[in-house]
């Protein structure tokens, strides 16, 4: 494994030599962005129990050093009360359409969880998004957009451990591969990830189909997680969701969106080990969700007021493991600027 990594680094270093020598004048001033998402959650089954959260107070900066070297730094100053460093990498444009990123990166796997947090179709992830636990990792990523073809390929190699644990020497790494091909309004996506968060390697497959036309956006995604050495039964998750967006004129609001989702999952482990065995982190269920969003959109400035309802169906007579109530209402404000 180490020999392969050294070989990859040497090849990429030689390809990047021309990029590093690019000193053409460029606007080096950073561009700043932010997303704020305060919310109220209500559990209608528990006497109206409720809680307030700041789901995200995300700030970031992107910029260029030369035409071939760029960077991104992004962090959550509040993710439900916690501070998290997210993207933090240097990027190198090696060849036309080919970029290398080194640092803390977004893992190229899945379509629901990795999307921009201000563009979520619902306030919370689908079960497929929950399955995709390694959204970011510390490592290297290569992205290749084949010019004029609609084909995009991405691959990453990164540490097995959490992003905050970057001092451990490792003899094996996690990695992910993804390919997507745009065919007009339809985009198929396939991906593979192999990770080892708790000492047991987990191999995951993902297949998705995106459809965007006019006011409609519909997505379907399936994900499978196979735990090696029969450490846990293979887990499955699916998600079908969509939204219909229409222009309106209602005071400052100029957009109204209706959302729907149906998703499900089998028993799932995130790879953490308890007493020598993989823990059960979520039990099998299905869920139906509906929502509506009214917003003001002007260029890159977004303001959304969102109302979602989630209804979860658990099998009768089966003990459940869940961090959220079966049914939940979310009222959320999304500001992006």
């Amino acid at each position: 494994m180490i020999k392969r990594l050294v070989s990859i680094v040497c090849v990429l270093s030689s390809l990047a030599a021309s990029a590093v020598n690019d000193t053409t004048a460029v606007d080096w001033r950073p561009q700043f962005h932010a997303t704020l998402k305060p919310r109220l959650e209500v559990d209608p089954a528990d006497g109206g129990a409720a809680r307030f959260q700041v789901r995200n107070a995300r700030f970031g900066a992107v910029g260029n050093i030369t035409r071939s070297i760029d960077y991104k730094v992004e962090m959550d100053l509040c993710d439900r009360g916690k501070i998290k460093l997210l993207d933090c990498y240097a990027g190198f444009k090696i060849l036309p359409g080919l970029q290398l990123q080194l640092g803390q990166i977004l893992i190229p796997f899945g379509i629901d969880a990795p999307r921009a947090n201000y563009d979520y179709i619902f306030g919370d992830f689908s079960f497929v998004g929950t399955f995709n636990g390694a959204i970011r990792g510390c490592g290297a990523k290569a992205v290749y957009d084949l010019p004029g073809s609609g084909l995009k390929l991405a691959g990453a190699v990164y540490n097995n451990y959490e992003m905050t644990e970057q001092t451990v020497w490792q003899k094996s790494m996690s990695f992910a591969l993804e390919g997507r091909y745009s065919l007009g309004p339809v985009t198929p996506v396939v991906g593979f990830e192999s990770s080892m968060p708790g000492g047991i390697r987990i191999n995951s497959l993902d297949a998705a189909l995106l459809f965007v036309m006019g006011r409609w956006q519909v997505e379907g995604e399936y994900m499978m997680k196979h735990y090696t050495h029969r450490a846990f039964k293979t887990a499955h998750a699916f998600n079908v969701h969509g939204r219909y967006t229409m222009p309106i004129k209602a005071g400052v609001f100029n957009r109204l969106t209706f959302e729907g989702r149906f998703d499900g999952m089998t028993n799932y482990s995130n790879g953490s080990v308890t007493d020598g065995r993989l823990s059960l982190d979520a039990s099998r269920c299905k869920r139906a969700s509906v929502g509506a969003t009214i917003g003001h959109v002007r260029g890159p400035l977004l303001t959304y007021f969102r109302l979602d309802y989630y209804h979860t169906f658990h099998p009768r007579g089966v003990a459940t493991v869940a961090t959220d109530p079966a049914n939940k209402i979310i009222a959320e404000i999304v500001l992006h600027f």
Side-chain angles (χ1 to χ4, degrees):
M1 180 65 183
I2 300 301
K3 292 182 179 179
R4 288 198 294 268
L5 287 175
V6 171
S7 299
I8 292 173
V9 170
C10 290
V11 171
L12 292 177
S13 297
S14 62
L15 288 174
S18 59
V20 174
N21 290 330
D22 181 5
T23 58
T24 306
V26 67
D27 186 356
W28 55 266
R29 291 172 295 182
Q31 299 179 12
F32 299 96
H33 61 268
T35 303
L36 305 180
K37 296 175 65 176
R39 65 167 53 168
L40 168 66
E41 296 187 350
V42 179
D43 178 3
D46 188 17
R51 63 188 181 190
F52 289 97
Q53 291 182 337
V54 176
R55 182 59 181 88
N56 298 112
R58 187 170 297 185
F59 292 85
V62 296
N64 298 281
I65 304 300
T66 73
R67 292 188 182 277
S68 300
I69 303 174
D70 59 13
Y71 62 88
K72 181 178 181 180
V73 179
E74 185 177 68
M75 67 183 303
D76 253 328
L77 296 181
C78 185
D79 180 350
R80 290 166 290 189
K82 298 180 179 179
I83 298 176
K84 294 181 179 179
L85 178 64
L86 302 173
D87 294 325
C88 183
Y89 64 79
F92 303 90
K93 297 178 178 65
I94 300 173
L95 297 171
L98 177 62
Q99 183 182 52
L100 172 68
Q101 298 172 356
L102 185 64
Q104 200 154 283
I105 53 174
L106 185 68
I107 304 303
F109 184 68
I111 64 169
D112 190 31
R115 77 174 75 243
N117 69 330
Y118 59 84
D119 193 38
Y120 290 163
I121 293 182
F122 281 84
D124 283 349
F125 290 147
S126 67
F127 289 136
V128 173
T130 302
F131 267 32
N132 190 9
I135 299 176
R136 286 177 172 85
C138 188
K141 179 169 74 172
V143 180
Y144 182 52
D145 264 313
L146 187 61
S149 70
L151 177 65
K152 183 176 181 179
L153 304 173
V157 57
Y158 53 99
N159 292 341
N160 289 317
Y161 297 89
E162 293 289 335
M163 293 185 297
T164 55
E165 181 53 78
Q166 300 179 11
T167 62
V168 179
W169 293 96
Q170 302 172 56
K171 293 184 178 179
S172 63
M173 293 281 180
S174 297
F175 62 91
L177 301 169
E178 183 183 87
R180 59 178 63 202
Y181 186 59
S182 297
L183 298 166
V186 179
T187 303
V189 183
V190 293
F192 175 77
E193 181 190 37
S194 182
S195 61
M196 196 164 58
I200 300 295
R201 185 162 289 278
I202 304 172
N203 296 319
S204 304
L205 293 173
D206 181 83
L209 191 65
L210 295 77
F211 175 82
V212 179
M213 177 176 285
R215 300 178 180 180
W216 287 96
Q217 178 182 348
V218 181
E219 300 177 1
E221 186 173 13
Y222 165 77
M223 187 176 292
M224 180 191 74
K225 283 188 174 291
H226 175 260
Y227 305 83
T228 58
H229 307 297
R230 298 183 179 179
F232 197 87
K233 187 176 180 180
T234 299
H236 307 266
F238 71 88
N239 171 46
V240 178
H241 63 199
R243 58 185 169 191
Y244 177 80
T245 302
M246 57 188 293
I248 61 170
K249 292 183 179 180
V252 298
F253 301 111
N254 58 15
R255 180 175 296 183
L256 178 63
T257 303
F258 298 98
E259 301 93 10
R261 178 173 71 190
F262 185 68
D263 58 344
M265 63 184 296
T266 62
N267 289 347
Y268 161 71
S269 173
N270 64 13
S272 59
V273 178
T274 303
D275 298 327
R277 305 178 65 178
L278 292 186
S279 60
L280 173 64
D281 295 290
S283 52
R284 61 190 178 97
C285 63
K286 296 178 181 178
R287 180 174 61 182
S289 308
V290 293
T293 302
I294 189 170
H296 171 75
V297 180
R298 182 166 59 90
L301 305 179
L302 311 175
T303 303
Y304 293 145
F305 292 85
R306 170 183 288 144
L307 184 64
D308 293 340
Y309 174 68
Y310 306 152
H311 191 92
T312 306
F313 306 91
H314 290 285
R316 292 183 178 180
V318 177
T320 61
V321 176
T323 57
D324 277 336
N327 305 324
K328 184 170 67 170
I329 299 171
I330 293 180
E332 181 178 65
I333 299 174
V334 181
L335 304 177
H336 177 72
F337 52 93

